[in-house]
Amino acid sequence: MATGTDDITFKFITQAADISGTGGGSSRSVSGIRATSSQVKAYIDNSLKQTNNTADSGSIPTIKFVSGGLADSDTTQIEYVEYYSQTEIFGGGSPALTDTEQSALYTVAGLYNSTLGR
Amino acid sequence: MGVIKRKRSTATMDPQVAAYFKAGNITDPTEQKAVSAFIATLKSAGIYSRLERLYLMSPTSSAAGLLDFITLTSATNNGASHGTSGWTFNGISGYIDTGFIPFNSTIMSQHDMSFGVYCNSGTAGTIGAFGGANNTSLQQLGITATASGSNTTFSYYTNTLAGSRFSTYTANNMTSLIGFHISTRTSSLRMDAYVNSRSIANTNASSSGNLVDEEIYLGAINASGTPTTYLSCRLGLAFIGRNIPASMMATFARANIDYQRALGRYVYFPLADTYFTNAGIPTSEVLERFAAEFFITELRMRNIWDKASRIYLRSPYSQAAALMCAKTGTSQTAVNSPTHSSTGLYFDGVSSCARSDVAVSALSEITTSSAFIFLYFNGAQNAGGYSLAGCEVGGSNAYRLRWTNGLV
């Protein structure tokens, strides 16, 4: 169970959607979507918390994705967080993930994990 | 020496279940137990009373496999093949005539009907029907599947043939027909399509005609008395009745899965089966397999599967399985010893993490205009200013979810 405030940032390339001071001490899910070339969105527990429509530029990271921290190269990590990972999905696709699909992911992940008793 | 009197069992069999076993000469204890449990669940959930025909497709014999559980009347086989997994239709000429005409129903109505099948084998091709009927006045009840390239469009009909009055759903990059498909009309202005208990399509178009006045076929459509639109598939169950409310779908689907599995003929969605093989999750892990099957099918049917680059279900079975991507079969590399339990994969917030197999830039799904990260977790401890997952190069090229006690 999360403690303290839940200040979440989803950042893709250089554009970020920030969620600050939302509380939500029992959150089980966070997610972020890059919906267009100029829009990112961040969610906590299936609730859209912020949309950022600022234009962006930059490149997709050329290193590997890490769970449990942040990779700053393919051999080093920083900014670790303690948690039990229960379902993790990342990707993109065309068209980009919609709010409806994000909501479905949250629902299905919840059912999957509740079926497993966790 | 005293006489020990053995107490007579007080357990009684549902009379309808007993009658079904007698009519079908069904004596196998495993099948009897499966049927008893299935019917008990349907009755307690209020589903059974909504059904007018229920074909359990008994593995005992072809005669038993044609029996309707509710009326104990027999359907007529016309070229379908019976086996322990149900009825196989050849997609050319084989079909089963249930003999049931919805127009004559005592419980269904123009605005209150459903038709459903459990398909455990089959690949979509040219248009074919799991079953149904239509007539010249354009009433129809049934479900069809049509392949278009690598995609499959399922069409669910509950009055009428007019294009706007049925629901369609196209699953991209999928031709498997496997699933529990239900077409249901709950009101004059609402019909829904479900696969494995989940709503996949709906329409608010009106139902303008009467109930179809033709016998429902399985494996084909009865078009005014002539079988057409044959489908190559294998069915393990079929039903016809009143509408099935959304609130009953999960119970119905789970009960069907339990019934099919008890008979040893439950077939997992192919993608789920691949995941179980890759991750080494054995058949004995029934609960996990059920949960993962549901999850994967959901993503597949909603086209989310195609958008995902990596999917980690964090299997409770083993750490190796928890690190395995359900989509690609590739694994994350454990870094600094994350620990594994039935709760999930535990990262300690100090040094442990898991690294994916390729660079983000090499994943074709992720573009400068489309990306997402979804995390479901428990027990997170916010230590202030740290990242749940992702990567970032030089502060400007990022793909990550960061969690802080204050703004970044």
Side-chain angles (χ1 to χ4, degrees), chain B residues 55 57 75-76 78 89 93-102 115-117 129-134 141-143 212 214-230 235 238-240:
Chain B
Y55 298 95
M57 303 191 176
T76 302
N78 295 278
F89 302 89
S93 59
Y95 69 99
I96 287 175
D97 180 355
T98 68
F100 175 67
I101 300 173
F115 171 75
V117 295
F130 288 116
N134 66 57
L141 179 62
I143 305 172
V212 61
E214 298 288 348
E215 295 171 346
I216 297 288
Y217 289 175
L218 301 176
I221 286 280
N222 177 2
S224 302
T226 302
T228 62
T229 323
Y230 298 97
L235 301 183
F239 73 88
I240 311 159

Side-chain angles (χ1 to χ4, degrees), chain A residues 15 34-40 51-56, chain B residues 368-369:
Chain A
Q15 186 180 10
R34 156 81 77 178
T36 69
S37 60
S38 61
Q39 183 183 78
V40 291
T51 301
N52 182 343
N53 291 310
T54 307
D56 194 14
Chain B
T368 55
S369 59

